[in-house]
């Protein structure tokens, strides 16, 4: 019982300095959006905003700092896992590069293609904001920063929400599916700032990724898949927004 309390406290602290706090702010954000004068469908959610648009060199430093600090909770999670399980293997090594890459690409396709349809449906139903994947401006560093941001998202979310959280919940003797569903709910919750479409899409993604981890005990394919999805979204938008008008449409 004492050990379980210790694990529970550790989980809450890790989530409290990372994606758990993001979930709380996202819930407050969706409440704000739903009680705002404009309908949710007429609002926007910017994923990679500029910080100081008038000083690009300083904006770059802010972006790099955000990315660098963003992976710290993932490093903390790995450190805690290794202290609890010295021989634990969660697939963060390079022992199966071919499997990791092919699985990652396959998962990205599995999640990404239906995800585009979900985004369209959510927008048509008016239950999601207009998502703006990036607003960094046209700088030489914009695309590299977007790629780094995508990788940071992949590392942070998959290490904390899958490798760490599922392992530690199992240490508390949770059933696999209880752990996977809990992780997926949290994942969906910290995307609520995008609207309810973001919650549903990421909840389903959490279920698929959790099931994959249960079967393979490898998180690297999930990091690869998540990074690919975000790179396509961020960089694709940056390169095509001036050529495809519907990307900037609120309808």
């Amino acid at each position: 019982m004492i050990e379980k309390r210790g694990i529970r406290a550790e989980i809450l602290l890790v989530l409290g300095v990372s994606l758990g706090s993001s979930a709380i702010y996202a819930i407050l954000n969706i409440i704000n959006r739903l009680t705002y004068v404009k309908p949710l469908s007429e609002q926007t959610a910017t994923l990679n905003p500029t910080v100081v648009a008038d000083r690009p060199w300083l904006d770059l430093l802010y972006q790099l700092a955000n990315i660098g600090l963003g992976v710290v909770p993932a490093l903390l999670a790995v450190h805690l896992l290794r202290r609890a399980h010295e021989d634990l293997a969660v697939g963060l090594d390079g022992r199966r590069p071919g499997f990791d890459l092919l699985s990652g690409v396959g998962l990205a396709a599995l999640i990404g293609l239906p995800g585009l349809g979900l985004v369209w449906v959510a927008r048509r139903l008016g239950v999601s904001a207009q998502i703006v994947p990036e607003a960094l401006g046209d700088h030489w560093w914009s695309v590299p920063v977007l790629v780094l941001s995508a990788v940071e998202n992949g590392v942070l979310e998959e290490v904390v929400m899958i490798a760490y959280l599922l392992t530690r919940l199992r240490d508390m003797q949770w059933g696999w599916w209880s752990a996977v569903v809990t992780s997926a709910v949290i994942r969906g919750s910290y995307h609520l700032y995008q609207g309810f479409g973001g919650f549903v899409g990421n909840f389903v993604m959490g279920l698929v990724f959790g099931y994959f981890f249960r079967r393979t005990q490898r998180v690297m394919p999930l990091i690869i898949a998540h990074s690919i999805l975000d790179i396509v979204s961020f960089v694709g938008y940056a390169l095509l927004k001036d050529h495809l008008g519907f990307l900037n449409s609120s309808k």
Side-chain angles (χ1 to χ4, degrees):
M1 181 63 69
I2 295 177
E3 181 182 1
K4 285 187 178 181
R5 285 203 299 265
I7 297 173
R8 185 183 301 114
E10 179 192 290
I11 291 173
L12 291 175
L13 289 171
V14 170
L15 293 179
V17 298
S18 60
L19 297 166
S21 63
S22 297
I24 293 172
Y25 281 117
I27 292 170
L28 293 175
N29 187 283
I30 192 64
I31 293 173
N32 177 46
R33 289 183 181 278
L34 292 175
T35 56
Y36 192 55
V37 291
K38 285 185 178 181
L40 180 60
S41 60
E42 295 180 12
Q43 299 176 42
T44 61
T46 303
L47 307 189
N48 291 280
T50 187
V51 180
V52 281
D54 60 325
R55 285 156 290 169
W57 63 272
L58 185 56
D59 199 10
L60 172 59
L61 295 178
Y62 267 108
Q63 301 297 334
L64 293 176
N66 287 336
I67 292 168
L69 294 174
V71 300
V72 172
L75 297 177
L76 172 62
V78 171
H79 172 71
L80 293 172
L81 279 179
R82 288 178 174 172
R83 289 190 62 182
H85 300 273
E86 292 182 2
D87 59 344
L88 180 68
V90 293
L92 275 171
D93 52 74
R95 296 177 183 176
R96 304 180 65 185
F99 173 83
D100 291 345
L101 180 59
L102 291 177
S103 298
V105 172
L107 285 168
L110 176 66
I111 296 296
L113 296 177
L116 291 175
L118 177 62
V119 170
W120 183 83
V121 170
R123 289 290 299 147
R124 298 299 296 177
L125 293 176
V127 296
S128 283
Q130 170 72 16
I131 299 173
V132 179
E134 70 86 27
L136 296 181
D138 298 323
H139 309 295
W140 65 266
W141 48 262
S142 295
V143 169
V145 162
L146 291 173
V147 171
L148 289 175
S149 178
V151 174
E152 180 248 316
N153 288 344
V155 171
L156 173 62
E157 294 190 38
E158 305 316 324
V159 169
V160 173
M161 296 310 303
I162 297 294
Y164 171 78
L165 185 58
L166 295 188
T167 300
R168 294 309 264 159
L169 290 178
R170 290 288 291 160
D171 288 341
M172 293 178 61
Q173 299 180 345
W174 282 40
W176 263 111
W177 278 112
S178 297
V180 169
V181 170
T182 298
S183 172
V185 169
I186 298 173
R187 185 190 293 261
S189 297
Y190 59 74
H191 286 91
L192 271 171
Y193 69 93
Q194 300 174 10
F196 296 105
F199 175 88
V200 173
N202 282 278
F203 173 77
V204 174
M205 179 177 171
L207 294 179
V208 173
F209 280 18
Y211 176 76
F212 179 90
F213 183 75
R214 177 189 178 185
R215 294 296 300 270
T216 67
Q217 290 295 296
R218 293 198 66 78
V219 74
M220 187 61 74
L222 307 181
I223 294 174
I224 292 172
H226 194 140
S227 299
I228 290 173
L229 290 170
D230 281 4
I231 288 171
V232 171
S233 175
F234 300 165
V235 177
Y237 181 88
L239 297 178
L240 298 176
K241 64 183 177 182
D242 294 330
H243 305 285
L244 300 177
F246 69 88
L247 291 176
N248 293 311
S249 174
S250 61
K251 299 295 183 182

